[in-house]
Amino acid sequence: MSDVTPDGAKLDELTSKELHERAMDLARERRDARFLWKLLRAIPAAAAATGEVDRAEFDIFHGLSLLEEFTHAGEGEVGDALRPLYIEYIAAHANGT
C-alpha cells in the first residue's frame, strides 16, 4: 500500500480533518457503507483512547449522540485517534481498488 494519494499528497502530512474528508468522499464515491459502519464502530474506542472512557459504553442514547459525533469524526482528539483508520482506507482504495 502506498501512503501517497493519486494527487501526490502524503497522507501522514494531512490534518485529521483532511483525512476524514478524503475518506468520507472516497466512501461516498465507492458507496462503501461497510467503511461508514466501521467508522461508526471505531468512534467510541477512539473517544476512550483520548481518556473519555464513559463514551465507550454503548446504549440507545449514546447511539443517537454517536450519529452526531459521526459528522465531527475528523476533529479534535477523536479525529486524531481515527487517523490510522482514514489512512488505511485511503491508501487501500484511492487508486480505484
Side-chain angles (χ1 to χ4, degrees):
M1 270 192 281
S2 172
D3 68 341
V4 178
T5 62
D7 65 4
K10 290 191 177 266
L11 297 178
D12 287 337
E13 295 175 0
L14 298 175
T15 67
S16 298
K17 185 162 184 67
E18 290 170 322
L19 286 170
H20 170 77
E21 289 170 358
R22 284 181 184 233
M24 294 303 294
D25 289 346
L26 184 57
R28 272 192 287 284
E29 179 183 308
R30 298 181 74 238
R31 292 179 173 81
D32 192 348
R34 212 177 283 171
F35 172 73
L36 301 178
W37 179 244
K38 186 175 182 178
L39 175 59
L40 278 172
R41 290 182 28 211
I43 291 172
T50 67
E52 299 181 44
V53 179
D54 59 322
R55 288 174 57 192
E57 295 181 25
F58 187 85
D59 60 29
I60 188 63
F61 296 110
H62 181 78
L64 295 174
S65 69
L66 185 58
L67 292 175
E68 173 66 23
E69 289 181 47
F70 180 75
T71 62
H72 302 288
E75 301 170 5
E77 291 179 336
V78 172
D80 292 342
L82 291 167
R83 287 179 64 83
L85 178 69
Y86 298 139
I87 290 171
E88 175 187 347
Y89 184 73
I90 296 166
H93 301 290
N95 293 321
T97 58

